[in-house]
Amino acid sequence: MRRSLSRLITWGINLYVIAIAGYLLVRFIIGDRFWMLSLLNTFAYVVFLPLIPLLLVGLLTRQPRPTLRLLPVMALGGLWFAPYLPKAAPVTTGPTLTVLTQNVWGNNHDLTAFEDWLRGSGADVLLLQEISPAYATEGLPRLADVFPYQAAQADDSRWGGNLILSRYPIIETTYVDLDIPDTPSPVRAVIDVNGQSVAVYNVHMAWPGRKQPRLSLPFGLSNNFGVHVALAYDDRERNRQIANLLDHLQAEPLPFIIGGDFNTSDQTPTYQQLTTVMRDSFREAGSGAGMSWPVSSARGMPAWVPPLIRIDYIFHSDDLRALRSWQAPPLGSDHLGLVSVISLEP
């Protein structure tokens, strides 16, 4: 009996190590170019979840040889999650810009608490997505005393538009053509921060899914939100948007800050493409995993279920620096917002 248990544990550890090695090899070769692998990449952190129970079982049953095979996986996990550790806040005396990004959500109909929080947030620039036309007409004027400068973009393909609200003058507004029909263009606003021009972008990338799932499951399972997301996963349009945006940003002449709903997990090779061109303010100056979607209270899930992936970001060009970055509280949306204090000096 003991020998059979030892053999089973050894086989379990060996299979896990082989599976991790195989996944990383395929991920390195294919990246996000195949939808099933891209979906797995979105939740890549789950591949490390079996590590702890396997390690405990190996130690408790006194099987050092198979347990030692887990050490490379442990080292890899340490590197994978190291960016989530707290960072020391740098000291600066130069000018800063506090930026907030928030997908307000089209189903978020009571924005009173959200509006009150914005007033006390201390943000200089707001990047808002999915603002309904009604609220853009009726609610936003109430914020004009705090954020008098506004740039709006209609988005007929989704629940609402995208807006940039600023305490500082917006001296130019343009739209970035991503060369993809029927998708909204990112808003680019040049903001004058006490004589220094900064380009600020508000983006809302395409949802990585098709309207119909690839197959229909019995008993109405295909109608379950999570199951539907998995079966309809398709990130090709979003990836084209990101590739075209990165091409544009490499020619941006001004220091830039870009935030919004990227609909892209930070676990993916696609995210790594983003960070080759710009810096992630939360990775640079925040702590924790920063998971931002979905908020359980908005999606009708149990309150103990945390957001599962991170898709909301504030990036910046290499000539700027993030000093602090933290998440906003739940404000009725199915996204958590993000706030970053950006130094305008390198």
Side-chain angles (χ1 to χ4, degrees):
M1 179 67 178
R2 182 177 178 83
R3 182 177 297 178
S4 298
L5 178 61
S6 298
R7 191 174 299 153
L8 180 63
I9 293 172
T10 300
W11 271 99
I13 290 176
N14 289 343
L15 285 174
Y16 175 64
V17 173
I18 293 171
I20 288 285
Y23 164 66
L24 293 176
L25 178 63
V26 173
R27 175 188 169 108
F28 176 77
I29 296 173
I30 299 179
D32 283 332
R33 294 190 297 275
F34 178 55
W35 76 269
M36 290 186 67
L37 180 60
S38 181
L39 179 61
L40 176 59
N41 290 339
T42 297
F43 300 92
Y45 62 88
V46 301
V47 303
F48 293 99
L49 296 183
L51 178 61
I52 295 177
L54 285 174
L55 182 63
L56 290 175
V57 168
L59 293 174
L60 291 174
T61 56
R62 299 180 181 179
Q63 298 190 64
R65 292 182 63 182
T67 304
L68 285 174
R69 295 176 191 137
L70 293 172
L71 290 181
V73 183
M74 292 175 60
L76 176 62
L79 293 173
W80 197 282
F81 295 105
Y84 300 152
L85 297 175
K87 292 90 176 173
V91 178
T92 183
T93 58
T96 63
L97 196 67
T98 301
V99 181
L100 178 147
T101 181
Q102 173 74 65
N103 183 316
V104 179
W105 197 37
N107 280 339
N108 188 3
H109 300 299
D110 184 6
L111 297 178
T112 304
F114 173 69
E115 190 177 311
D116 291 341
W117 190 85
L118 287 179
R119 286 183 170 277
S121 66
D124 300 309
V125 176
L126 307 180
L127 308 177
L128 307 179
Q129 305 89 44
E130 291 191 22
I131 291 289
S132 70
Y135 186 73
T137 302
E138 302 169 7
L140 289 179
R142 295 196 294 267
L143 292 171
D145 60 322
V146 182
F147 304 100
Y149 305 99
Q150 305 183 1
Q153 174 206 38
D155 183 356
D156 296 330
S157 66
R158 282 178 279 207
W159 279 324
N162 307 317
L163 293 101
I164 299 177
L165 309 183
S166 175
R167 296 178 188 267
Y168 293 100
I170 296 176
I171 57 178
E172 178 186 337
T173 302
T174 54
Y175 302 100
V176 181
D177 184 8
L178 298 182
D179 198 26
I180 298 176
D182 303 320
T183 59
S185 302
V187 186
R188 175 185 181 269
V190 177
I191 297 178
D192 181 353
V193 185
N194 298 325
Q196 181 173 352
S197 295
V198 180
V200 177
Y201 292 77
N202 186 10
V203 306
H204 190 184
M205 293 299 176
W207 172 255
R210 52 176 68 182
K211 292 182 179 180
Q212 298 297 326
R214 288 178 168 82
L215 68 149
S216 180
L217 299 181
F219 310 112
L221 291 176
S222 301
N223 297 326
N224 176 272
F225 177 70
V227 174
H228 179 86
V229 168
L231 294 179
Y233 190 85
D234 187 343
D235 61 355
R236 289 174 295 178
E237 182 176 283
R238 182 208 66 196
N239 290 346
R240 290 198 303 271
Q241 285 181 314
I242 287 176
N244 292 342
L245 177 65
L246 293 179
D247 287 342
H248 169 85
L249 289 174
Q250 294 192 66
E252 170 60 62
L254 295 175
F256 67 82
I257 299 169
I258 176 168
D261 176 2
F262 282 75
N263 275 317
T264 305
S265 166
D266 67 342
Q267 304 286 304
T268 64
T270 298
Y271 166 84
Q272 294 168 357
Q273 294 173 18
L274 288 163
T275 56
T276 61
V277 175
M278 49 195 173
R279 297 183 184 180
D280 179 348
S281 67
F282 190 80
R283 283 280 180 97
E284 188 177 11
S287 62
M291 305 296 193
S292 62
W293 184 88
V295 175
S296 58
S297 57
R299 285 290 179 179
M301 297 184 295
W304 53 267
V305 178
L308 300 176
I309 57 175
R310 180 174 174 231
I311 60 177
D312 299 272
Y313 304 90
I314 296 173
F315 295 101
H316 62 84
S317 54
D318 287 339
D319 46 0
L320 303 178
R321 185 167 48 124
L323 303 179
R324 291 187 297 126
S325 190
W326 65 95
Q327 287 185 290
L331 296 167
S333 172
D334 63 341
H335 292 246
L336 292 179
L338 180 66
V339 186
S340 294
V341 179
I342 308 293
S343 171
L344 302 185
E345 296 181 342

